[in-house]
Amino acid sequence: MAIHKFYKITLVGHNKVKEEIISQLQKAGVIEITEVPENLKNISQIESEEKIIDINQKISNLNFAQDFINSFCQNKKIKIETENVIKLSYEEYIKKANNFNFKIIDNLKEKSVKLQDLNEKINFILTRLDELKNWSLLKINLKDLKLEKTKILFGSINKDKFEEFKNKLSELKFLQLDIVNEDEEKIYWYLIYKNEISEKLNEKLKEFLINIANLNDIETTVPEKINFYNKELNKLKKEVSKIEESIKDYIKFYNDILICLDYLKNLHQREEVKRKFFITNSTFLITGWIKEKDIKIIENLVKKYKVVDYKITVPEPDEEVPVELSNPRLIEPFEMVTKLFGPPSKKDIDPTPFIAPFFALFLALTIADAGYGFLLLSLSYLVYKKYKNNPGTAQLMKLLIICSFIAIFVGILTGGYFGIDFESLPSAFKKIKELREKLIILEPLKDPLKLFIFILALGVIQVLTGFFIKFVNCIKYKEYYEAFTSPFAWIIIIAGIIFFILLKIKIFLILPVIGSLIILFFSDRSRNIIVRVLKGIYTLYGITGIFGDIVSYSRLFALALSSAVIASVINVIIGILYQFLIKFPYIGVVLSIIFSIVMFAFGHIFSLLIGTLGGFIHTTRLQFVEFFGKFYEGSGNEFKPLKEKFNYILIEK
Amino acid sequence: MTLGLALACAGIFIAVVFAGIGSAVGIGIAAQAAAGAMTEDPKKFGKYLLLVALPGTQGIYGFVIGFLTLLKLGILTGNIPSISISQGLNILFYDAPVGIAGLISAIHQGKACAAGIEMSSKQPAEVGKALVMAVFIEFYAILGLLTSFFLFWFGIKF
């Protein structure tokens, strides 16, 4: 019902219109192009790779430019003047993309290399300056110290080790140790020694942890060198700011870069898809899938060309046809749950209409608070507004909006409003209290057992629905034997037990007995009666699994409970802090009110996010394991048409 | 403080601290895996977030039971009833299931989440399946929570 019917399409044409046809097909976005059969593929001409390589190169260049401008603006705290999406007409889009000047990117690359180079130099000087600052008291010209018969060593050592160091060195002749500088930790010294003792000296030095400073390249005094470096640094910094200033001129091209990126990605898709074609010297052939209602579009398209023709055929029964779900607007957001598991395979029905009510109700039950429902509604609406053009996010938000409406409803029925304890409210709120009381049918924290049973009952309903769908599906495919020995038998077992528990009439116990007998003797079709019964017993043992499935729904109760308790915890904490803060003289009232409001907002938003996260995951799991396990395979292929995709722009019609 | 009250407080301790330790260790394991996987693609942060946060629920369950016990004992309002030793022991055992089930399940869930993160770093589309597998473990923490809750709700009478 909710799955589109697909036909096979074969399209042939002359090579001179090939590019045009591909563009038109991409723009129409109605055909999923499949690989041509293997025997044709082998004799097909192979498209040259050069074009794709060129496009890839351009895309990576544009990505570079995008990242470069982005990070530049982020560092400089410049706001790029671009909207969430760029709106323009199709003609403008093509024109802008074709006229894009790739010189811009070359220039940006050049500037980025220069900047990198300059920054490296700056970093070198900065580390050098850091080293030298401890030696700035050394006012001798270092060139004069370079003599033939002596060597000089500059170094530093921890203060507490210095005495020991000095004593050790005094054992040697022909050397002189002088202190240059000291700071909190270290003493900076230099050592002049005769060449002949260098080996002995090295032995001694090895015993200590010393840092050797590299001042050998300095031909002047240290302060002079520092001065030189500082001048150099200023020069480099000026150059950097000059380049950065020139980069600012490129920010205005940011939008064009994005437009061109979208264009090239679509071009890339067109080139990629050509590999699936069958191409001869003068013709090309495309095979693919098309929906019944879209055939008209192709007919109109082909009419315009004299050298193109197409044929529609019905798929063979054993062929893997792609799947596209189509559901009414209210159910459509739940398709994402189905797709998360896997689109329906050939024998499956689309489960979306069945999971939609359960999913919405279950998620609402885990929230079970009108205040939270309202909060979730506003938050998801805001996100939806912002990310309207992102199909994935938009669909998720629509789902949350639907669920939050039901959560508000459930919240009113269970009397949850931000977890507020209405009994402790002052008597001024008497009217509100009475109104709330009237609307309540069940209060989770007062009557937990009732809610628990209610949730398990929902579980029974969903498990039964699963078996029922399986039953209908079996009938549809004329598998009558399977239909009666498996889903039907289970349905009467469960239903019989439930009726017996509810109505306490013993006659209903006959249903589970019949069901068990069917499973025991007929679930396996082997001739040997012993094997049959043994396998039947094993299948019947599956009742424990069904019991487990139903118990599994108790997670909804646990989640409802924990979100209700967390909500009231936040209020209790606010209450305690309010009592504490209000005692402050003068500012007490203001302080406590402001604090309560902030705490209320942040606390409940946090609690809502945590609660919804858990609720969403567990509700999804219930659909996948407890529900889909009964009837759904989900191994189909999603319909992926050749279609233009835009990440940054929106085409206005 | 009487011995009975001390035992009841030990119950709160088990529920909150044990489940909390489990969650902390579990999230730790998952977060390490996520940090490792993000070295290749930091943009996947959002995808891994769910898997990292999943072992955090046990700590919340423990806290829920601990808090309900606090409320019932009247520690927040100051009217603490006199609790006999056997009542205190009862409360201790009421609170234990959620703490112990949470402790062990959260650690194992953390490991499953870490494996799921590794899997989805190579198969980004399959993050949903990794989540579902990790959620299987959660159920046993939930059973612990339910047991504690019902024991506590229908068990404590002063």
Side-chain angles (χ1 to χ4, degrees), chain A residues 364-369 372 414 419 443-449 451-452 455 554-569 607 611, chain B residues 60-68 98 142-154:
Chain A
L365 274 170
T366 63
I367 298 169
D369 187 302
Y372 278 22
T414 56
E443 218 169 332
L445 280 176
K446 277 208 186 114
D447 209 349
L449 204 57
L451 182 68
F452 188 67
I455 280 171
S554 63
R555 68 186 68 230
L556 295 174
F557 172 73
L559 291 168
L561 183 77
S562 71
S563 67
V565 171
I566 298 277
S568 68
V569 167
S607 157
Chain B
I60 297 175
Y61 299 153
F63 177 69
V64 165
I65 291 297
F67 185 80
L68 285 174
V98 70
I142 290 177
L143 290 183
L145 168 63
L146 288 175
T147 310
S148 278
F149 177 75
F150 282 121
L151 274 173
F152 163 85
W153 201 262
F154 298 102

Side-chain angles (χ1 to χ4, degrees), chain A residues 340-342 444-449 452 548 551-559 561-563 565-566 568-569 572-573 576 610 613-614 617-618 620-621 624-625, chain B residues 43 49-51 53-54 57 60-61 63-65 67-68 71 76 109 125-129 131-133 135-140 142-143 145-146 149-150 153-154:
Chain A
L340 198 63
F341 187 82
L445 280 176
K446 277 208 186 114
D447 209 349
L449 204 57
F452 188 67
V551 173
S552 181
Y553 286 81
S554 63
R555 68 186 68 230
L556 295 174
F557 172 73
L559 291 168
L561 183 77
S562 71
S563 67
V565 171
I566 298 277
S568 68
V569 167
V572 169
I573 293 172
I576 292 170
I610 291 281
L613 178 82
I617 297 173
H618 283 284
T620 311
R621 177 231 137 100
F624 286 2
V625 181
Chain B
K43 282 179 196 148
L49 192 66
L50 275 179
L51 279 163
L54 199 54
T57 44
I60 297 175
Y61 299 153
F63 177 69
V64 165
I65 291 297
F67 185 80
L68 285 174
L71 269 188
L76 291 175
Q109 197 175 39
E126 305 300 344
V127 71
K129 283 168 195 164
L131 260 177
V132 172
M133 284 198 288
V135 169
F136 275 110
I137 304 166
E138 175 110 355
F139 185 53
Y140 301 96
I142 290 177
L143 290 183
L145 168 63
L146 288 175
F149 177 75
F150 282 121
W153 201 262
F154 298 102

Side-chain angles (χ1 to χ4, degrees), chain A residues 174-191:
Chain A
F174 308 122
L175 65 76
Q176 193 190 340
L177 178 70
D178 273 322
I179 296 177
V180 179
N181 190 8
E182 59 181 287
D183 60 16
E184 282 142 29
E185 283 173 23
K186 284 181 170 172
I187 288 183
Y188 301 86
W189 42 260
Y190 69 92
L191 199 65

